Amino acid sequence: MTFLARILVFPREGVLDTQGKAVEKSLNRIGFGSVREVRVGKYIQVLLEADSEADAAAAAESMCGELLVNDLIEDHTVQVGPWKP
Amino acid sequence: MTFLARILVFPREGVLDTQGKAVEKSLNRIGFGSVREVRVGKYIQVLLEADSEADAAAAAESMCGELLVNDLIEDHTVQVGPWKP
Amino acid sequence: MTDLVWHEHTTLPRDTGLVVLPGGFSYGDYLRCGAIAAKSPIIDAVIKHASSGLPVLGICNGFQILTEIGLLPGALLANTSLDFICDFCHVRVEREDTPFTGHYRKGEVLRIPIAHYEGRFYLPEEQLRALEEEGLVVFRYCSPEGVTGEDFTPNGSPNGIAGIINRKGNVLGMMPHPERATESLLGSSDGAPLWASVNSWIRGRLGV
Amino acid sequence: MRPDHRAAGLSDAEYGEIIRTLGREPEHAELMILGVMWSEHCSYKSTRRLLSSLPTSGEAVVQGPGENAGIVDIGEGWGIAFKVESHNHPSAVAPYQGAATGVGGIIRDVLAMGARPVALLDGLCLGGQSCPEAAALADGIVKGIAGYGNAVGVPTIGGKTLYDGCYNSNPLVNAMCLGLVPLDGIVSSRTARPGQLAVLIGSRTGRDGIAGAAFASSGLADDTRSSRPQVQIGDPFVEKLLVECCLEIHSKGLIVAMQDMGAAGITSSSSEIAAKSGTGIRINADLVPLREEMEPWEIALSESQERMLLIAEEEALEEIGSIADRWQLDWAVIGEVTDDGLFVMTKGGREVVSLPAEMVGGGCPSVQWPSRKPSGGVKGRGVPSGLLDPPETARCLSTILEDPNLAERSRIYRQYDYMVQTNTVVPPGNSVSIFRVRENRSFVAVTMEVDPWKCSLDPFAGAAETFLKALRPLWVSGAKHLGMTNCLNFPSPEDPENHWILERSVSGLAAVARDLACPVVSGNVSLYNESPSGKILPSPLVAVVGLQDCNSPPLRDSATLEAGSVFLVGDTQGTLGGGAFSRIITPGAEHNPGDYVPLKEKDFMERALKTVRKEAAAAGRAIAGGGLMTSLAKMCIKADIGIGLDSAVLDSDPECLFGEWGPRAVYLVPERSTELFLSCWEGFPVRRIGEITPGGLTLDGHEMLPEETRAEKAGRK
Ligand SMILES: Nc1ncnc2c1ncn2[C@@H]1O[C@H](COP(=O)(O)OP(=O)(O)O)[C@@H](O)[C@H]1O
Ligand SMILES: [Mg+2]
């Protein structure tokens, strides 16, 4: 079965988010004064084969651990569901 | 009131997602053979003040139009909700 | 005379001839390269300058900014290798009838450096075809002998596109750095005629 | 509860010393601060005595060790500030960010001297290429250096890369920066006076990298996760603003003293200024712009990047502020210089730290670790290696050229913008890197070397040879050395054998510095480079800065010539110990190290310089890794020329063909210059070993370098 894993990766609490700060300043300057904070992270979408949703979730989690995320500086969340093309 | 806008930005259909392809290859190489496709995009989280959820959503959408997204090459989705710290 | 203009200013110096948006990592290339700079206060003045028919040149990051502003079509995506590339390469001059290339001959091959991570030009296929048909490509990556093709395109740009111009012919964007190729001591002076070209063009136009 | 002193990184003896000096027990924040400031990384406690044996003064030295960077005089009122610094531990756990912040840090060191950063180099000792983890680290490290250096707009003009399994989980990342400074505009960190203000400019302070200095002073724990909060994130864009902002403030004459905030952040920068200036300093933690709520000791020790500490008169404040505002940087007055000799930090009106500034920023008691000569000793001379006929020579050469350690490095340096600022005359990919200084029309040449294999064979001779390997190409290119900087990358000094090796290595560097008058003007020490999987080989890295006037162009290490002679200068025979041949072709064989003969080096230097001055050669290359044949092969590949060698004038043993060590070089000389060339080298061993030909590299007509190899190595395939 094919599953879709949606992985959000963003700078850990307390870790300097250089992009977020730059985007925040720019938004404020171009007229979005109501913006209080911006954080910029990565969105990774993985299509994978697995026997069950639980297996797919486990695989996605281990991809994060091994390649996609450096948990020294990044937090992440994984959402897995069946893939509907 | 404070709202949280969660914006997902990803390469448009038809735009070659080189980063996604590279991640896909790496995942395959390090043992995740079941991975079929990877797409890499951005996840932008904006904390903003607005009078209503609708206003917040409209503001977030217009930020996308003006700065956050280049819709020649990117698609995006916006999700807005009240912010719970 | 050359002036540096602060990004937060809103006007260009009086009697500005050529506006150059140089290379460099404006705003650290955060979000998308050139996107944040495209919203700088000075940009309205640049747009006005361009619409008056005077020349605007965007080099590298400046090219990226021009596409973000919309003065030039398209966008610049990450090199296919996903590496930053700094190297000398060769480009072929495709047009000699622009304010920037008058001192070159069509077909001439220049040795000129590139230094970028996002230099792969992108336009949806049909628009790309139209761009080509209208002859808006000014520089193309090539071999030292002038042969174009994927093998000679360092960043994966379609049709070897290295620089394009707007229809009106006064806004040029290019990834290679002509300002880094003006002295043979530093490896090449093939960029020098570009500066001489605009200079003559402006003198001609302003009658000075 | 108060943390115990060992958890803070202090030994019982050190803790006793603190109590004796203070006459009381330190408070919590004080203990944390002393733990960091008395760490090896900040205090050099294990190496201070050793480093004092290095010659540091000389004709060209304007500023020796002790400031943020050393400075040498390049004439007409201009100086070059330079220094190398390690970022080994951070790069081992977060390769991209670790390497990136290493670049950022060394740029600020040079900026702190009032200099404009104009060039970067990076020395990388990477793990074996067959180890996937090491390859991933290597990739991240190179991307990090590129990511930061490119965006900050300082060209990376060269470096050194080598691969060995000992660096698999402990790669070495040594970043070097050079800056240009008018000699009458040098900024110091020892010129603060009571009543002046401490101004912090740059990024807001966050919880990043707290106690990173202590982290760098111990081995890498098995579970690197435990050391994780200690990594910092770099923001090259803010760094660019910071450089321009500080230089603008300085150009207005508003800076009294300046210090970058590296390891131990506010604490080290402010206490060092106070200690060196003989004053006290009082920091109000409430005034520090923060990203988040923090404890006072965290504020004191945070290693948030892209911050500088300026000391200024109160009258200058308004202008400083308006300049910083224009560059969109946060800034704040965070304290003042006092006359009580104390480093004080207050929070909410309460003194949370009150320590003698000298005790915090002036170093701690030295530690003398025991030394013992390794039992193995220097290895005996191995069996003579026998003779090599031309086909064997060709096989050896191609095996050596295949080795990652002798491959060219364009995969790496093509990712670095080495041309930005448009002064790079000789870019990476050459034996030396050279940039021009427009201000006084001169060429500044830089080389960087590290040779762990030779140092592990014989630390004294190996370190000396490392230094000489950096000097010789400079001379051959036509540049006279002005000074050197170094980074002592070693495993734990607490092991007596390691310590002995460290001592001997420093002696080797000191000997060359003295004999050849190449003083040490700055440097850095990185000890405890070990992980559960082992320790690194002794890896002292040396970088030398030299000067050439613009009257003669730098001599290149290869040239496209139609015809001419090939000369070998120096001994016919090199030495195999610790070299590429023994490592790659005869692993396990034992060979002696080479000898260091100062007079021969000096003689070589004078003749090499004269050769360039007289324009007596078309190209020249000091023989280094892989020996004579490898040097010739690289010349052929690079300029796409052929060389025909005459075996009658060469010996056919590996010592001649592949030996290393000692002053030897090959030159390409056009016919018309032959006499001139020979006159430059008269009295020194010199012989014509072949001629330039069309085609490849041949020995008695045997092809040494098949066309495929040449094409592949030259990137034509
Ligand atoms: N990490 C690096 N960064 C930039 N340039 C490098 C780096 N490593 C090597 N180089 C450049 O590549 C060339 C050869 O590198 P090196 O490893 O020192 O080999 P060699 O033993 O031939 O000197 C030199 O020009 C050097 O400046
Ligand atoms: Mg070298």
Side-chain angles (χ1 to χ4, degrees):
Chain A
M1 256 179 85
T2 307
F3 293 89
L4 178 68
R6 299 149 62 92
I7 302 168
L8 296 180
V9 185
F10 39 93
R12 263 183 114 145
E13 203 58 56
V15 166
L16 177 67
D17 176 10
T18 52
Q19 291 214 61
K21 282 278 156 291
V23 172
E24 183 181 314
K25 271 197 197 164
S26 178
L27 282 174
N28 284 327
R29 206 191 46 219
I30 65 173
F32 297 99
S34 64
V35 168
R36 289 222 334 230
E37 197 197 57
V38 178
R39 293 174 76 73
V40 176
K42 269 183 296 206
Y43 167 49
I44 306 170
Q45 205 177 272
V46 179
L47 223 60
L48 74 166
E49 301 294 330
D51 293 336
S52 68
E53 195 164 306
D55 283 2
E61 199 47 71
S62 95
M63 289 173 210
C64 290
E66 289 195 32
L67 182 74
L68 304 177
V69 180
N70 180 349
D71 58 13
L72 191 67
I73 44 181
E74 294 167 328
D75 274 333
H76 70 280
T77 61
V78 178
Q79 249 182 47
V80 175
W83 181 56
K84 317 174 201 71
Chain B
M1 257 179 85
T2 308
F3 292 88
L4 178 68
R6 298 149 64 93
I7 303 167
L8 295 180
V9 184
F10 37 94
R12 264 216 135 130
E13 208 57 60
V15 173
L16 179 63
D17 175 14
T18 39
Q19 220 190 330
K21 284 273 161 291
V23 172
E24 189 179 312
K25 264 199 208 151
S26 301
L27 284 174
N28 285 328
R29 204 191 45 227
I30 64 171
F32 296 99
S34 64
V35 168
R36 291 224 331 233
E37 197 198 56
V38 178
R39 294 180 76 74
V40 177
K42 273 181 285 224
Y43 168 49
I44 306 172
Q45 205 177 270
V46 180
L47 222 59
L48 74 167
E49 302 293 332
D51 292 337
S52 68
E53 196 164 305
D55 283 3
E61 201 45 75
S62 97
M63 288 174 211
C64 289
E66 289 199 30
L67 180 71
L68 302 179
V69 180
N70 178 343
D71 54 19
L72 180 70
I73 48 174
E74 295 167 328
D75 274 331
H76 72 279
T77 62
V78 178
Q79 249 184 47
V80 175
W83 181 55
K84 316 174 203 72
Chain C
M1 206 188 69
T2 311
D3 275 327
L4 291 175
V5 180
W6 190 247
H7 62 108
E8 287 181 308
H9 287 181
T10 49
T11 53
L12 295 169
R14 185 194 278 277
D15 298 331
T16 295
L18 167 71
V19 172
V20 180
L21 305 184
F25 285 66
S26 60
Y27 298 91
D29 270 359
Y30 296 136
L31 192 64
R32 287 185 314 279
C33 45
I36 300 182
K39 300 291 167 195
S40 300
I42 190 65
I43 292 299
D44 283 341
V46 174
I47 295 174
K48 217 186 279 158
H49 184 83
S51 59
S52 75
L54 287 162
V56 174
L57 170 61
I59 300 165
C60 198
N61 193 232
F63 184 12
Q64 296 160 347
I65 296 171
L66 288 176
T67 63
E68 284 283 344
I69 300 173
L71 280 178
L72 288 173
L76 290 136
L77 303 177
N79 303 338
T80 3
S81 63
L82 290 178
D83 284 334
F84 186 96
I85 305 172
C86 176
D87 210 346
F88 276 92
C89 62
H90 293 89
V91 299
R92 195 173 71 196
V93 179
E94 303 289 85
R95 283 180 54 176
E96 56 183 44
D97 61 339
T98 78
F100 309 91
T101 52
H103 288 214
Y104 293 118
R105 274 167 295 102
K106 183 170 159 91
E108 195 174 339
V109 175
L110 318 179
R111 187 166 178 274
I112 190 169
I114 56 166
H116 59 247
Y117 180 76
E118 278 122 337
R120 179 165 56 101
F121 185 71
Y122 172 80
L123 255 190
E125 228 166 275
E126 261 171 45
Q127 294 177 46
L128 186 65
R129 205 171 313 125
L131 184 91
E132 289 283 6
E133 276 162 11
E134 290 177 70
L136 301 180
V137 176
V138 178
F139 297 110
R140 237 184 261 284
Y141 300 108
C142 65
S143 74
E145 295 76 32
V147 180
T148 56
E150 255 173 61
D151 287 353
F152 308 111
T153 304
N155 52 19
S157 212
N159 308 342
I161 292 174
I164 62 167
I165 200 161
N166 62 345
R167 283 201 194 95
K168 214 153 117 192
N170 67 322
V171 180
L172 174 70
M174 63 193 293
M175 291 313 296
H177 285 272
E179 83 287 7
R180 293 187 183 188
T182 61
E183 293 173 81
S184 52
L185 177 67
L186 305 186
S188 169
S189 55
D190 289 358
L194 182 140
W195 303 105
S197 303
V198 216
N199 204 16
S200 321
W201 189 90
I202 290 169
R203 278 162 195 280
R205 155 110 180 204
L206 301 179
V208 288
Chain D
M1 220 203 69
R2 107 183 14 260
D4 84 283
H5 59 271
R6 292 211 199 98
L10 295 163
S11 69
D12 293 347
E14 286 163 348
Y15 190 58
E17 172 76 21
I18 289 168
I19 292 181
R20 247 190 321 282
T21 312
L22 292 180
R24 63 174 169 89
E25 294 210 346
E27 295 296 318
H28 172 258
E30 294 174 335
L31 190 63
M32 298 307 285
I33 282 175
L34 289 170
V36 173
M37 291 303 291
W38 284 23
S39 70
E40 186 63 47
H41 187 74
C42 290
S43 73
Y44 292 86
K45 60 187 167 192
S46 305
T47 47
R48 208 179 310 139
R49 190 188 45 86
L50 265 180
L51 295 178
S52 67
S53 69
L54 293 168
T56 57
S57 55
E59 232 176 280
V61 179
V62 178
Q63 175 65 60
E67 279 283 357
N68 289 297
I71 298 179
V72 291
D73 189 340
I74 58 164
E76 295 183 28
W78 291 92
I80 293 287
F82 63 99
K83 184 178 186 229
V84 62
E85 185 147 275
S86 66
H87 237 215
N88 304 338
H89 284 64
S91 305
V93 294
Y96 184 99
Q97 292 298 343
T101 51
V103 172
I106 193 65
I107 288 176
R108 290 190 298 280
D109 268 320
V110 162
L111 173 64
M113 303 307 295
R116 169 172 288 279
V118 294
L120 293 165
L121 286 90
D122 59 325
L124 309 178
C125 296
L126 306 171
Q129 288 193 321
S130 55
C131 168
E133 290 79 29
L137 285 176
D139 192 51
I141 286 167
V142 169
K143 290 271 185 315
I145 290 165
Y148 203 101
N150 296 350
V152 80
V154 181
T156 302
I157 62 169
K160 174 77 195 173
T161 306
L162 62 82
Y163 301 90
D164 189 283
C166 75
Y167 306 109
N168 279 356
S169 51
N170 194 152
L172 304 183
V173 177
N174 292 181
M176 176 183 186
C177 182
L178 296 96
L180 181 65
V181 59
L183 293 179
D184 58 6
I186 295 173
V187 179
S188 165
S189 57
R190 52 187 72 232
T191 38
R193 292 289 158 265
Q196 293 166 342
L197 301 178
V199 184
L200 191 164
I201 298 189
S203 290
R204 289 174 167 263
T205 299
R207 223 179 239 122
D208 26 3
I210 289 172
F215 170 45
S217 303
S218 58
L220 282 166
D222 201 1
D223 177 17
T224 41
R225 245 163 243 266
S226 60
S227 35
R228 288 202 155 175
Q230 290 151 348
V231 167
Q232 312 115 36
I233 307 292
D235 187 341
F237 178 57
V238 170
E239 179 101 335
K240 174 68 178 162
L241 301 179
L242 190 60
V243 167
E244 297 304 334
C245 176
C246 291
L247 289 176
E248 184 176 338
I249 294 171
H250 178 42
S251 73
K252 303 256 156 74
L254 306 176
I255 295 178
V256 173
M258 178 158 50
Q259 177 84 32
D260 65 290
M261 296 203 183
I266 291 178
T267 299
S268 66
S269 55
S270 58
S271 67
E272 278 167 25
I273 283 186
K276 288 184 195 167
S277 304
T279 65
I281 197 159
R282 198 178 170 85
I283 301 290
N284 181 347
D286 297 317
L287 299 177
V288 176
L290 298 181
R291 290 207 313 264
E292 57 199 311
E293 271 304 303
M294 289 166 71
E295 297 283 318
W297 72 271
E298 292 178 316
I299 296 173
L301 294 176
S302 157
E303 294 182 6
S304 287
Q305 300 289 295
E306 290 89 26
R307 298 179 302 164
M308 294 292 284
L309 187 72
L310 273 51
I311 303 295
E313 299 286 358
E314 188 163 4
E315 302 86 79
L317 213 56
E318 194 177 328
E319 203 172 348
I320 290 177
S322 74
I323 295 172
D325 286 342
R326 203 164 70 89
W327 289 102
Q328 300 182 346
L329 290 169
D330 280 309
W331 66 280
V333 175
I334 62 165
E336 63 177 325
V337 182
T338 59
D339 61 3
D340 58 10
L342 292 177
F343 169 72
V344 175
M345 184 149 169
T346 62
K347 173 95 180 159
R350 205 175 71 82
E351 283 188 7
V352 288
V353 177
S354 178
L355 296 167
E358 183 59 35
M359 179 183 208
V360 183
C364 64
S366 279
V367 199
Q368 169 72 61
W369 300 108
S371 281
R372 190 176 61 238
K373 188 172 174 183
S375 43
V378 175
K379 299 181 179 127
R381 184 171 294 279
V383 241
S385 3
L387 304 183
L388 300 172
D389 62 18
E392 272 170 311
T393 306
R395 270 198 299 280
C396 291
L397 178 62
S398 62
T399 310
I400 287 175
L401 290 176
E402 281 311 309
D403 189 83
N405 277 306
L406 289 114
E408 56 101 35
R409 305 282 181 233
S410 62
R411 290 265 317 262
I412 294 176
Y413 61 71
R414 251 167 65 105
Q415 299 186 49
Y416 302 156
D417 189 339
Y418 51 80
M419 300 184 273
V420 64
Q421 298 191 8
T422 53
N423 290 313
T424 308
V425 175
V426 178
N430 293 284
S431 305
V432 293
S433 302
I434 301 180
F435 62 91
R436 58 119 177 252
V437 176
R438 298 174 208 241
E439 285 75 358
N440 70 352
R441 296 168 319 280
S442 68
F443 295 119
V444 172
V446 203
T447 51
M448 182 179 263
E449 280 300 334
V450 50
D451 195 330
W453 305 292
K454 293 194 176 73
C455 292
S456 60
L457 184 62
D458 178 339
F460 178 89
E465 177 67 11
T466 304
F467 197 161
L468 291 160
K469 275 173 72 180
L471 284 164
R472 292 180 203 123
L474 270 190
W475 302 333
V476 169
S477 80
K480 178 78 176 53
H481 58 260
L482 299 177
M484 76 89 111
T485 183
N486 68 92
C487 187
L488 301 174
N489 304 286
F490 285 86
S492 166
E494 299 173 26
D495 171 300
E497 296 192 351
N498 288 349
H499 192 246
W500 184 85
I501 293 171
L502 171 60
E503 283 178 328
R504 294 295 295 159
S505 302
V506 173
S507 309
L509 298 181
V512 177
R514 181 178 0 93
D515 299 339
L516 292 159
C518 184
V520 180
V521 304
S522 58
N524 180 241
V525 175
S526 171
L527 305 180
Y528 301 96
N529 287 288
E530 334 195 322
S531 66
S533 60
K535 59 181 185 184
I536 64 160
L537 295 174
S539 314
L541 174 136
V542 175
V544 179
V545 172
L547 179 70
Q548 185 178 356
D549 61 44
C550 61
N551 296 327
S552 40
L555 187 69
R556 306 287 178 139
D557 62 12
S558 190
T560 309
L561 279 192
E562 300 271 292
S565 305
V566 182
F567 284 94
L568 167 65
V569 303
D571 295 339
T572 314
Q573 305 261 326
T575 305
L576 297 178
F581 186 86
S582 63
R583 209 172 56 247
I584 299 163
I585 307 290
T586 59
E590 297 189 343
H591 297 284
N592 271 355
D595 297 323
Y596 163 48
V597 187
L599 280 178
K600 228 157 68 176
E601 302 288 347
K602 240 189 232 166
D603 202 7
F604 176 85
M605 168 183 83
E606 270 147 27
R607 292 159 191 286
L609 291 175
K610 188 168 171 193
T611 305
V612 181
R613 224 170 30 241
K614 301 249 174 208
E615 299 187 29
R621 182 183 274 261
I623 294 177
L628 172 65
M629 290 305 288
T630 307
S631 296
L632 292 169
K634 287 184 170 181
M635 278 177 139
C636 290
I637 291 165
K638 195 156 167 187
D640 196 14
I641 54 172
I643 289 178
L645 295 172
D646 181 356
S647 74
V649 293
L650 284 174
D651 296 343
S652 49
D653 53 18
E655 279 81 359
C656 168
L657 300 171
F658 297 103
E660 303 176 18
W661 301 80
R664 298 164 82 216
V666 279
Y667 281 97
L668 305 182
V669 181
E671 230 46 77
R672 68 190 140 75
S673 308
T674 305
E675 235 168 90
L676 185 59
F677 179 81
L678 287 171
S679 76
C680 292
W681 290 92
E682 197 188 328
F684 199 84
V686 50
R687 58 174 72 192
R688 185 179 182 282
I689 57 169
E691 60 181 355
I692 293 170
T693 61
L697 174 65
T698 55
L699 179 58
D700 281 352
H702 280 87
E703 185 52 70
M704 297 283 113
L705 201 60
E707 166 57 25
E708 308 94 75
T709 317
R710 260 182 295 145
E712 184 202 320
K713 302 282 174 201
R716 275 180 276 128
K717 210 172 79 180

